[in-house]
Amino acid sequence: MKNICITKPYMPDKDKYKKYIDEIFDRSYLTNGGPLVDELESRLAKFLGVKHLVLVANGTIALQVSFKALALSGNVITSPFSFIATSSSLVWQGLQPKFVDIDADSFNLNPALIEQAIDSDTSAILPVHVFGNACKVEVIAEIAKNNDLKLIYDAAHAFDVHYKGQSLLNQGDISILSFHATKLFHTIEGGAILTNDDQTALHVRQMINFGFEKEESIVRLGINGKMNEFEAAMGLCVLDEYGIIRKKRKQIYDFYLKHLDNHLQRQELNMHSTQNYGYFPILFDDEKTTLEIKNKMRNENIYARRYFAPSLDMVSYFESQEKCPVSQDIASRILCLPVFPDLDHSGQQRIIDIINRSLV
Ligand SMILES: *Cc1c(COP(=O)(O)O)cnc(C)c1O
């Protein structure tokens, strides 16, 4: 029987990609702000409805550069229910993640717990729109403003999500995206830093190119965070097909909704926000059942994943003083089901059957 992984990189039209490759070979211009990176930047900024979008090498460097650009220090309030890079990037930059527990329904940072976690060393809040579900952005913005904190959204899952009629990616001082091969929209490896602030955008641009302003003028500390032309070419091809990707993902999503046992607990979605169908998380009653079902699937070559286990407050090197029982509970019971554009109905039915049969 066919293997079904949690996701599968989207492969766009090969002939179109080959044409871009031919152009790149003719130009011998491989990186450092080439024409394809420029083109993808402007097309994405327009498509997503944001003012400044700077393409970078990956989502993790997008986080790291953002922390530097906003001059963060001390500790940063963030969610324990996320991919490890959200918090490991803080530690890599010499910052301490301060975990605040999540809301049991939305799986996002619980705004009611943020204020009490702020201390004199706190410089920022780093929430995650987990599985593309919009955070309570107004409340969080108010808390950041009242406490003079920077606000950075890890929006790695929130490509093309709209909130109250405008791009969700306009929230905060900065939002970051990941364009890793397994993400909804991808450039093989890649990411972006998005901001409405002209000064921040300029600094970020200089920072990802070693701090150069122009050829012989180095104006700040920088690093190498650039995207290359081959990656941008992939992005241009995938973007052309994004409408199809979204449509197919919605069909897969709706098929799960229709056929999965409707007693399964699911993430509660922000009613003011659109969906991008990036993930299909479900919750079981306890960890034992979750592992049993995951193993049953694996025996039939289906690879669902426990995103995000472990809860990051349990990862030893963070030495977290804050324990987050809600996040730990969700992490122990969650399973993300395979979703990718060419997953067919028969594949989905195999997954659905295993789950529904296990619940009776
Ligand atoms: C994928 C992901 C990242 C990291 O992005 P990379 O491009 O893989 O470096 C960061 N945060 C979240 C929530 C992610 O899912």
Side-chain angles (χ1 to χ4, degrees):
M1 248 191 284
K2 261 199 311 197
N3 275 11
I4 303 178
C5 287
I6 174 80
T7 186
K8 199 169 136 195
Y10 184 78
M11 300 310 285
D13 184 81
K14 199 171 170 183
D15 290 329
K16 193 184 268 183
Y17 191 64
K18 280 183 176 162
K19 264 196 210 141
Y20 280 117
I21 302 299
D22 288 341
E23 284 178 30
I24 295 171
F25 270 74
D26 289 343
R27 271 195 298 270
S28 309
Y29 196 143
L30 305 186
T31 187
N32 287 60
L36 300 181
V37 166
D38 284 350
E39 187 184 340
L40 183 60
E41 272 187 354
S42 53
R43 275 186 60 190
L44 278 175
K46 197 165 157 226
F47 175 74
L48 297 172
V50 297
K51 189 169 179 197
H52 299 288
L53 181 146
V54 180
L55 287 172
V56 296
N58 57 64
T60 306
I61 200 87
L63 286 164
Q64 288 172 234
V65 169
S66 300
F67 305 155
K68 274 283 185 212
L70 298 175
L72 304 193
S73 63
N75 69 56
V76 172
I77 289 175
T78 192
S79 170
F81 191 70
S82 184
F83 183 58
I84 182 72
T86 309
S87 283
S88 60
S89 59
L90 286 169
V91 176
W92 200 268
Q93 292 303 120
L95 301 159
Q96 179 66 35
K98 193 159 188 191
F99 295 115
V100 163
D101 211 348
I102 58 169
D103 172 77
D105 300 318
S106 70
F107 308 165
N108 285 329
L109 208 52
N110 184 345
L113 302 176
I114 295 177
E115 208 127 37
Q116 67 201 54
I118 298 170
D119 64 32
S120 56
D121 286 334
T122 307
S123 61
I125 309 174
L126 172 63
V128 183
H129 303 297
V130 87
F131 307 134
N133 192 26
C135 290
K136 296 227 163 94
V137 290
E138 287 96 350
V139 191
I140 296 174
E142 189 71 19
I143 297 169
K145 185 161 158 265
N146 292 343
N147 293 278
D148 201 20
L149 301 176
K150 300 291 184 194
L151 179 54
I152 301 170
Y153 278 99
D154 183 338
H157 301 174
F159 186 82
D160 187 37
V161 173
H162 287 255
Y163 178 81
K164 295 189 176 169
Q166 69 146 308
S167 176
L168 178 63
L169 305 169
N170 278 311
Q171 297 293 327
D173 297 295
I174 287 179
S175 288
I176 72 94
L177 287 168
S178 164
F179 301 149
H180 183 257
T182 55
K183 302 287 197 311
L184 186 66
F185 166 82
H186 80 91
T187 61
I188 310 171
E189 290 273 4
I193 298 173
L194 300 88
T195 181
N196 283 314
D197 185 67
D198 300 349
Q199 193 78 359
T200 305
L202 177 69
H203 290 179
V204 160
R205 262 192 206 291
Q206 292 166 346
M207 280 180 164
I208 64 159
N209 188 27
F210 309 100
F212 281 106
E213 180 189 41
K214 44 188 190 300
E215 199 176 304
E216 287 178 11
S217 152
I218 299 163
V219 291
R220 65 189 68 255
L221 174 65
I223 194 165
N224 182 357
K226 302 186 299 294
M227 177 179 280
N228 67 54
E229 290 286 279
F230 293 88
E231 291 169 335
M234 179 61 86
L236 288 166
C237 294
V238 176
L239 188 56
D240 282 343
E241 295 172 38
Y242 179 72
I244 306 165
I245 296 175
R246 191 177 182 287
K247 192 170 147 219
K248 289 195 175 155
R249 282 180 169 275
K250 184 179 183 331
Q251 284 166 359
I252 290 161
Y253 196 95
D254 290 343
F255 193 83
Y256 276 138
L257 275 187
K258 188 165 169 214
H259 297 286
L260 275 172
D261 188 304
N262 58 17
H263 297 300
L264 280 166
Q265 198 187 328
R266 301 196 39 247
Q267 182 185 31
E268 193 174 284
L269 301 176
N270 189 321
M271 61 183 283
H272 299 295
S273 155
T274 62
Q275 284 174 259
N276 65 12
Y277 313 103
Y279 298 83
F280 198 96
I282 49 175
L283 290 178
F284 298 101
D285 287 343
D286 50 49
E287 185 161 37
K288 189 169 160 280
T289 314
T290 312
L291 289 172
E292 275 168 13
I293 292 177
K294 183 175 184 244
N295 289 338
K296 264 187 212 161
M297 287 193 197
R298 201 181 49 200
N299 293 339
E300 299 195 27
N301 300 330
I302 297 164
Y303 301 90
R305 292 286 298 269
R306 298 174 77 204
Y307 292 146
F308 289 97
S311 176
L312 298 182
D313 56 311
M314 301 296 281
V315 174
S316 59
Y317 74 79
F318 291 128
E319 297 177 347
S320 177
Q321 304 296 308
E322 296 75 29
K323 291 299 168 215
C324 303
V326 179
S327 175
Q328 288 176 23
D329 174 54
I330 301 291
S332 73
R333 300 190 286 123
I334 200 159
L335 206 57
C336 282
L337 302 183
V339 182
F340 50 87
D342 55 358
L343 176 59
D344 56 22
H345 277 345
S346 69
Q348 268 195 290
Q349 196 60 55
R350 280 165 59 201
I351 297 165
I352 291 162
D353 288 345
I354 293 170
I355 295 169
N356 288 351
R357 264 190 261 119
S358 308
L359 294 176
V360 290

